[in-house]
Short mmCIF file of all heavy atoms in Angstrom, two decimals:
data_model
loop_
_atom_site.label_atom_id
_atom_site.label_comp_id
_atom_site.label_asym_id
_atom_site.label_seq_id
_atom_site.Cartn_x
_atom_site.Cartn_y
_atom_site.Cartn_z
N GLY A 14 32.83 1.63 -4.38
CA GLY A 14 31.86 2.17 -5.30
C GLY A 14 31.23 3.48 -4.81
O GLY A 14 30.05 3.78 -5.03
N GLU A 34 21.69 23.43 18.69
CA GLU A 34 22.94 23.49 19.44
C GLU A 34 22.76 23.62 21.00
O GLU A 34 23.58 23.35 21.73
CB GLU A 34 23.67 24.76 18.91
CG GLU A 34 24.00 24.68 17.41
CD GLU A 34 24.97 23.54 17.15
OE1 GLU A 34 25.75 23.12 18.07
OE2 GLU A 34 25.06 23.03 16.04
N ALA A 59 32.84 6.50 3.91
CA ALA A 59 33.36 5.73 4.99
C ALA A 59 34.82 5.65 4.93
O ALA A 59 35.44 5.50 3.90
CB ALA A 59 32.75 4.32 5.04
N ILE A 61 38.71 4.13 6.85
CA ILE A 61 39.18 2.83 6.91
C ILE A 61 39.10 2.30 8.39
O ILE A 61 39.43 1.22 8.71
CB ILE A 61 40.69 2.73 6.50
CG1 ILE A 61 41.54 3.71 7.36
CG2 ILE A 61 40.78 3.07 5.01
CD1 ILE A 61 43.01 3.54 7.04
N PRO A 63 37.58 0.57 11.20
CA PRO A 63 36.46 -0.41 11.33
C PRO A 63 35.50 -0.11 12.49
O PRO A 63 34.47 -0.64 12.56
CB PRO A 63 37.11 -1.74 11.44
CG PRO A 63 38.44 -1.47 12.04
CD PRO A 63 38.84 -0.15 11.46
N ARG A 72 31.67 -3.61 9.43
CA ARG A 72 33.01 -3.92 9.42
C ARG A 72 33.44 -4.69 10.67
O ARG A 72 34.70 -4.83 10.84
CB ARG A 72 33.95 -2.66 9.26
CG ARG A 72 33.82 -2.07 7.89
CD ARG A 72 34.86 -1.03 7.73
NE ARG A 72 35.03 -0.61 6.30
CZ ARG A 72 35.43 0.62 5.97
NH1 ARG A 72 35.67 1.54 6.91
NH2 ARG A 72 35.52 0.98 4.69
N ARG A 75 32.17 -11.12 15.32
CA ARG A 75 33.00 -12.13 16.03
C ARG A 75 33.58 -13.08 14.97
O ARG A 75 33.01 -13.31 13.94
CB ARG A 75 32.18 -12.88 17.04
CG ARG A 75 31.58 -11.95 18.14
CD ARG A 75 30.94 -12.79 19.26
NE ARG A 75 30.29 -11.92 20.28
CZ ARG A 75 29.03 -11.52 20.25
NH1 ARG A 75 28.27 -11.95 19.25
NH2 ARG A 75 28.57 -10.75 21.23
N GLU A 78 31.16 -15.90 13.85
CA GLU A 78 29.88 -15.44 13.14
C GLU A 78 30.08 -15.57 11.59
O GLU A 78 31.12 -15.14 11.08
CB GLU A 78 29.55 -14.05 13.59
CG GLU A 78 29.09 -13.85 14.94
CD GLU A 78 28.66 -12.45 15.34
OE1 GLU A 78 29.39 -11.48 14.85
OE2 GLU A 78 27.71 -12.19 16.01
N GLY A 85 19.60 -18.57 1.22
CA GLY A 85 20.84 -18.61 0.57
C GLY A 85 21.40 -17.39 0.04
O GLY A 85 22.60 -17.43 -0.54
N PRO A 90 24.46 -5.32 4.34
CA PRO A 90 24.79 -4.59 5.45
C PRO A 90 24.19 -3.15 5.47
O PRO A 90 24.30 -2.48 4.48
CB PRO A 90 26.43 -4.47 5.48
CG PRO A 90 26.72 -4.56 4.01
CD PRO A 90 25.67 -5.48 3.36
N ILE A 92 23.67 -0.83 8.58
CA ILE A 92 24.17 0.18 9.50
C ILE A 92 25.06 -0.41 10.56
O ILE A 92 24.73 -1.56 10.98
CB ILE A 92 23.08 1.05 10.06
CG1 ILE A 92 23.58 2.36 10.68
CG2 ILE A 92 22.28 0.29 11.02
CD1 ILE A 92 22.48 3.32 11.13
N CYS A 110 27.91 -2.16 23.33
CA CYS A 110 28.95 -1.34 22.72
C CYS A 110 28.81 -1.09 21.28
O CYS A 110 29.25 -0.12 20.72
CB CYS A 110 30.39 -1.82 22.97
SG CYS A 110 30.90 -1.80 24.73
N PHE A 115 21.47 -5.77 9.36
CA PHE A 115 21.43 -6.28 7.96
C PHE A 115 20.10 -6.40 7.46
O PHE A 115 19.06 -6.70 8.17
CB PHE A 115 22.13 -7.73 7.94
CG PHE A 115 23.49 -7.84 8.59
CD1 PHE A 115 23.59 -7.86 9.94
CD2 PHE A 115 24.65 -7.72 7.83
CE1 PHE A 115 24.85 -7.91 10.58
CE2 PHE A 115 25.88 -7.87 8.40
CZ PHE A 115 26.02 -7.91 9.81
N PRO A 119 13.49 -8.71 0.43
CA PRO A 119 11.96 -8.67 0.68
C PRO A 119 11.65 -7.92 1.87
O PRO A 119 10.45 -7.72 2.14
CB PRO A 119 11.73 -10.24 1.00
CG PRO A 119 12.80 -11.00 0.45
CD PRO A 119 14.01 -10.03 0.57
N SER A 121 11.63 -4.70 2.82
CA SER A 121 10.87 -3.42 2.66
C SER A 121 9.41 -3.71 2.43
O SER A 121 8.53 -2.97 2.98
CB SER A 121 11.45 -2.55 1.59
OG SER A 121 12.75 -2.22 1.79
N ASP A 123 7.73 -6.74 3.17
CA ASP A 123 7.08 -7.60 4.24
C ASP A 123 8.16 -7.91 5.28
O ASP A 123 8.61 -8.96 5.42
CB ASP A 123 6.53 -8.86 3.55
CG ASP A 123 5.81 -9.83 4.57
OD1 ASP A 123 5.31 -9.11 5.58
OD2 ASP A 123 5.66 -10.85 4.25
N SER A 132 19.18 -16.33 18.96
CA SER A 132 18.85 -17.56 18.19
C SER A 132 18.24 -17.08 16.80
O SER A 132 17.00 -17.17 16.62
CB SER A 132 18.03 -18.56 18.83
OG SER A 132 17.84 -19.70 17.95
N LEU A 141 19.91 -8.39 13.33
CA LEU A 141 20.56 -7.43 14.16
C LEU A 141 21.53 -8.17 15.08
O LEU A 141 21.18 -9.15 15.73
CB LEU A 141 19.56 -6.63 14.98
CG LEU A 141 20.11 -5.48 15.92
CD1 LEU A 141 19.11 -4.34 15.97
CD2 LEU A 141 20.45 -5.95 17.26
N PRO A 156 29.68 -9.74 1.62
CA PRO A 156 29.25 -10.37 0.37
C PRO A 156 29.62 -9.63 -0.87
O PRO A 156 29.89 -8.43 -0.78
CB PRO A 156 27.69 -10.43 0.54
CG PRO A 156 27.41 -9.21 1.43
CD PRO A 156 28.53 -9.14 2.41
N GLU A 181 -5.10 14.68 16.96
CA GLU A 181 -6.18 13.79 16.58
C GLU A 181 -5.77 12.87 15.45
O GLU A 181 -6.32 11.73 15.33
CB GLU A 181 -7.36 14.67 16.20
CG GLU A 181 -8.12 15.48 17.34
CD GLU A 181 -9.21 16.22 16.85
OE1 GLU A 181 -9.55 16.18 15.63
OE2 GLU A 181 -9.83 16.88 17.69
N GLN A 183 -2.33 12.21 14.32
CA GLN A 183 -1.04 11.48 14.53
C GLN A 183 -0.23 12.13 15.58
O GLN A 183 -0.41 13.31 15.93
CB GLN A 183 -0.35 11.34 13.14
CG GLN A 183 0.32 12.67 12.84
CD GLN A 183 1.18 12.53 11.54
OE1 GLN A 183 0.57 12.30 10.51
NE2 GLN A 183 2.51 12.68 11.68
N VAL A 193 18.42 33.05 21.87
CA VAL A 193 18.96 34.28 22.54
C VAL A 193 18.62 35.47 21.56
O VAL A 193 19.22 35.48 20.51
CB VAL A 193 20.39 34.27 22.91
CG1 VAL A 193 20.81 35.48 23.59
CG2 VAL A 193 20.65 33.02 23.81
N GLY A 195 19.20 38.71 22.38
CA GLY A 195 19.95 39.78 22.71
C GLY A 195 19.45 40.45 23.99
O GLY A 195 20.18 41.28 24.63
N LYS A 197 16.67 38.60 26.11
CA LYS A 197 16.23 37.64 27.01
C LYS A 197 16.26 36.26 26.25
O LYS A 197 16.43 36.24 25.08
CB LYS A 197 14.88 37.88 27.57
CG LYS A 197 13.83 38.00 26.47
CD LYS A 197 12.48 38.35 27.03
CE LYS A 197 11.38 38.52 25.87
NZ LYS A 197 10.14 38.90 26.43
N PRO A 206 13.20 17.18 12.80
CA PRO A 206 13.41 16.80 11.44
C PRO A 206 13.57 15.27 11.27
O PRO A 206 13.94 14.66 12.25
CB PRO A 206 14.74 17.46 11.04
CG PRO A 206 15.45 17.63 12.40
CD PRO A 206 14.33 17.92 13.36
N TYR A 216 9.65 8.74 15.24
CA TYR A 216 9.08 9.75 14.45
C TYR A 216 8.26 8.99 13.36
O TYR A 216 8.70 8.71 12.29
CB TYR A 216 10.13 10.54 13.80
CG TYR A 216 9.72 11.85 13.13
CD1 TYR A 216 9.78 13.01 13.68
CD2 TYR A 216 9.12 11.79 11.89
CE1 TYR A 216 9.50 14.25 13.09
CE2 TYR A 216 8.73 12.96 11.22
CZ TYR A 216 8.89 14.15 11.84
OH TYR A 216 8.46 15.33 11.12
N ALA A 255 12.06 3.43 9.35
CA ALA A 255 12.04 2.30 10.18
C ALA A 255 12.42 2.59 11.58
O ALA A 255 13.36 3.37 11.89
CB ALA A 255 12.99 1.20 9.68
N ALA A 258 13.11 -1.20 18.19
CA ALA A 258 12.91 -1.25 19.61
C ALA A 258 13.45 -2.57 20.19
O ALA A 258 13.67 -3.57 19.40
CB ALA A 258 11.43 -1.09 20.06
N PRO A 264 15.67 -9.09 26.36
CA PRO A 264 16.42 -8.22 25.68
C PRO A 264 17.11 -8.72 24.35
O PRO A 264 17.70 -7.99 23.58
CB PRO A 264 17.56 -7.64 26.60
CG PRO A 264 17.54 -8.71 27.73
CD PRO A 264 16.19 -9.29 27.84
#
Side-chain angles (χ1 to χ4, degrees):
E34 300 293 337
I61 62 175
R72 285 188 172 154
R75 297 189 184 94
E78 288 179 321
I92 195 170
C110 289
F115 306 80
S121 299
D123 188 21
S132 179
L141 184 148
E181 293 183 358
Q183 70 178 71
V193 180
K197 59 183 178 180
Y216 193 102

